[in-house]
Amino acid sequence: MGAAIPVMHYTGMAAASFVPSGMPVDLSDAVNISTLGTAGIAAVTFMVLGLALLTSWMDRRFALRSLELQEERLQRSETYLAEAQRLSKTGSFGWRPSTGEIIWSEETFRVFQYDRTMKPTVELVLQRVHPDDVALVQQTIERAAQDGKNFDFEHRLLMPDGSVKHVHVVAHAFSDESGIVEFAGAVMDITAAKQVEQTLREREAYLAEAQRLSHTGSWARVSATGEMRYWSEECYRVLGFEPASGLPLFETFLQRVHPDDRAKVRETAETAGCRKVEYEVDYRIVHPVGEIRDIHTVGHPVLSPSGDLVEFVGTVMDVTERKRAEEERERLRQLQAELAHINRVTTMGELTASLAHEVNQPIAAAVTDANTCLRWLNRDQPDVEEVRQAASRIVKDVTRAGEIISRIRLIFKKGIPQRELVDANEVIREMVSLLHSEATRSSVLVRTELADLPQVMADRVLLQQVLMNLMINGIDAMKDVDGLRELIICSQRTDDGQLMISVSDSGAGLPQDNANQIFNAFFTTKPQGTGMGLRISRSIVESHGGRLWAADNSPRGASFHLTLPTKVEAHE
């Protein structure tokens, strides 16, 4: 070719060069070089192929291992997801409306209580839906299939055992590459939550009704800002605000408080806020229509863990009716006291002769002793010892007359009943002494059987009045009776620890046809009786927390029993 054309054949083992054709060519070593090159080429080729095969094999092994790891992670994720769904009672589903194909997770099968071998369909879902919710579910499914939009709703399932489940269904719509709409969603068993919700609603209803019946509202207020955080419905009603207007500020509330009570309410609330203590306050509220109501408020501080005041929670109670009832009860108590006083005066008026005789006896005795004393002093040799004895008798007789007059004055005394610790046996002895002449005049023997008793909290005068009424009734019942006339007054302690006093006579007994009416007002068997003695006596005993009743004696007569509590309790 006239020129040397350099040619390189890369083998990694040998190279050849060509010289101009005009020169003689020595080909003696060509064969050897070519053989060596061919062998090298083959060896390298085999090595390359081997490396390629090894690399391919290792790639396949690596790919397989990666696939295995991915499958393990996928299985683990599916296990976690299945367990999470089981714990949360939330199943998942997929739905392609165009084909009707539905895919359920294991938890979804459990929620609907279907066997996993069953193929989910819309019809299968509707079979489990509560009859009252079928129309809602069917309408929701049809609208979703038509519009291809997300849906979120709740309905009930009626299970084979008759129980009812509440489920919350939510689904998200999306389209695949071909534009076909599919849904991916979840179905949650919210039965437990619904039951809790129902319980809370019932409790709220009970609380609201209880507040309505007791006229008691509840509230919460931030003390620092005066912001009202919460008012119950009854709180709005009690304070005369409209719920539709929202929660009022504390200052707005204060404007409804009666002007005379406003400063007191503000000061009480502010002081409690500064001291972080509970408070109570009574005030009047003026409703928009002008009606004034009496309110009792209690506030309790709520503190943070660090001791800071968070808010006050409390109650407002409409005590208007209670205050009116207390005022009426006080008026009736005063009327009862007036009536009891009239009864005492009337009874004492009936005993005028006996009481005059009772007082006259010690006075007459004192006069006699005084005359005797003078005679002993007028003697030529006065007998001082006799004079001293006569003077002592005078003192004794006058003291006795004074005691009788004091008892009479006490019974006639008009005033507000006063409770104190009273010795019931001492009261019995006083009444026996006071009515001694009346009993003697009627030929009645009075006997007492008194046990050792604790003192009771009672009004002494009222207790005397009860015993006087019962004893006089017993004496009167025996005036026309032949034979033994005996009035027995007993005191004892009952099995339940109460004090019991019994007044028994041997008279004609209780009226057979009207025994159950003897404690009625204006019922009497006496020609000149008012019919109020026993009625008043029972009212007095009951106001002390006791009982008064009557029973026939055997073979004749009647017994009146009254009990009084020995433990101090308020019975207003």
Side-chain angles (χ1 to χ4, degrees), residues 341 344-345 348 355 359 401-415 434 461 464:
H341 179 254
R344 289 197 300 273
V345 172
M348 295 301 291
L355 293 176
V359 174
E403 289 175 350
I404 294 172
I405 293 172
S406 295
R407 293 192 196 105
I408 295 172
R409 287 182 60 192
L410 188 63
I411 292 174
F412 271 99
K413 183 179 178 181
K414 179 180 179 182
L434 187 64
V461 174
Q464 288 176 335

Side-chain angles (χ1 to χ4, degrees), residues 326-378:
E326 288 174 355
E327 292 170 356
E328 181 66 17
R329 187 160 56 245
E330 180 60 28
R331 189 182 69 82
L332 292 176
R333 186 184 294 114
Q334 291 176 358
L335 289 175
Q336 185 183 39
E338 293 280 355
L339 187 58
H341 179 254
I342 293 172
N343 177 256
R344 289 197 300 273
V345 172
T346 303
T347 303
M348 295 301 291
E350 296 173 357
L351 298 175
T352 300
S354 296
L355 293 176
H357 177 70
E358 191 72 22
V359 174
N360 186 59
Q361 276 188 330
I363 292 176
V367 171
T368 301
D369 289 330
N371 291 327
T372 302
C373 184
L374 289 173
R375 285 198 305 271
W376 287 112
L377 288 173
N378 289 330

Side-chain angles (χ1 to χ4, degrees), residues 306-319:
S306 60
D308 296 327
L309 179 61
V310 177
E311 63 182 358
F312 273 94
V313 296
T315 59
V316 291
M317 180 181 294
D318 187 339
V319 295

